[in-house]
Amino acid sequence: MRPLNIVGIGGTAQRSSSTESALRLALNAAKAAGARTRLFGGTELAALPHYLTPTAADHPIGRALVEAVRGADAVLIASPGYHGSVSGIVKNALDYLEETARDARPYLDGLPVGLIVTAYGWQATGSTLATLRAIVHALRGWPAPLGVTVNSTQCKFADGGCSDPAIAAQLALVGQQLFDFASLRRSAATAA
């Protein structure tokens, strides 16, 4: 049986952002559990043209993102909280999932989806997490029970680690939850 595929989408246009660092830690936990992971980080997301513009249709990153999600058993989304909501580059990447609308499994239908939000203060974390959950529901996905919020004024990421042990544990847990939920989903489909 092939390994579970978990696709990570998120980050900022800034290299080594706390958002992408948090996403990497969660993906690492899923990988340690046995998943195969693929990350579409800030550099790739920033290079995506706006969805439905003339250059979007044949953009290699856009095509790779859509194909990765088509083959995913779970998805992990991480966004910074910009002005109380999801960042433009993360939302644009999610807009590309419209390409799956006519697939046998459209959008994120039935997939477990982990959510991570980072912000420079607490205010934007809650509203951004709620927005991500609403987007995942609209895309027919199943948000994981734990949504991780990170106040980047209090938590720092460096050298692949996190300065706050509680946040590091939450990031590992959301990665593990995705692996577990995707495993259960696979088992149920196999038994049917």
Side-chain angles (χ1 to χ4, degrees):
M1 192 176 288
R2 71 167 174 77
L4 294 168
N5 289 317
I6 299 181
V7 175
I9 302 168
T12 72
Q14 184 179 20
R15 283 176 114 34
S16 304
S17 70
S18 58
T19 306
E20 190 170 326
S21 296
L23 178 57
R24 284 181 187 280
L25 285 173
L27 283 173
N28 286 344
K31 189 173 188 175
R36 181 174 31 211
T37 62
R38 171 78 194 268
L39 171 65
F40 291 88
T43 301
E44 289 164 302
L45 301 186
L48 279 174
H50 288 280
Y51 180 64
L52 288 183
T53 57
T55 57
D58 293 322
H59 198 277
I61 295 172
R63 284 195 317 269
L65 172 66
V66 170
E67 287 308 311
V69 171
R70 281 181 169 137
D73 296 294
V75 174
L76 187 55
I77 302 169
S79 178
Y82 286 171
H83 308 121
S85 194
V86 178
S87 74
I89 66 170
V90 171
K91 179 61 171 73
N92 185 49
L94 296 175
D95 289 346
Y96 273 77
L97 300 185
E98 185 61 27
E99 295 299 308
T100 69
R102 290 176 180 77
D103 289 2
R105 186 199 77 202
Y107 308 116
L108 301 174
D109 189 46
L111 293 183
V113 181
L115 302 173
I116 301 168
V117 175
T118 64
Y120 199 72
W122 288 115
Q123 185 172 355
T125 60
S127 58
T128 304
L129 182 60
T131 300
L132 278 176
R133 283 189 171 133
I135 291 168
V136 170
H137 283 186
L139 293 172
R140 305 179 191 178
W142 294 84
L146 176 64
V148 181
T149 57
V150 180
N151 180 340
S152 57
T153 66
Q154 299 174 356
C155 180
K156 303 298 178 200
F157 295 90
D159 302 321
C162 175
S163 68
D164 185 329
I167 296 295
Q170 288 179 18
L171 292 168
L173 179 56
V174 78
Q176 182 67 51
Q177 280 183 347
L178 283 185
F179 181 83
D180 293 345
F181 296 147
S183 296
L184 289 171
R185 185 173 181 271
R186 177 187 277 178
S187 294
T190 303

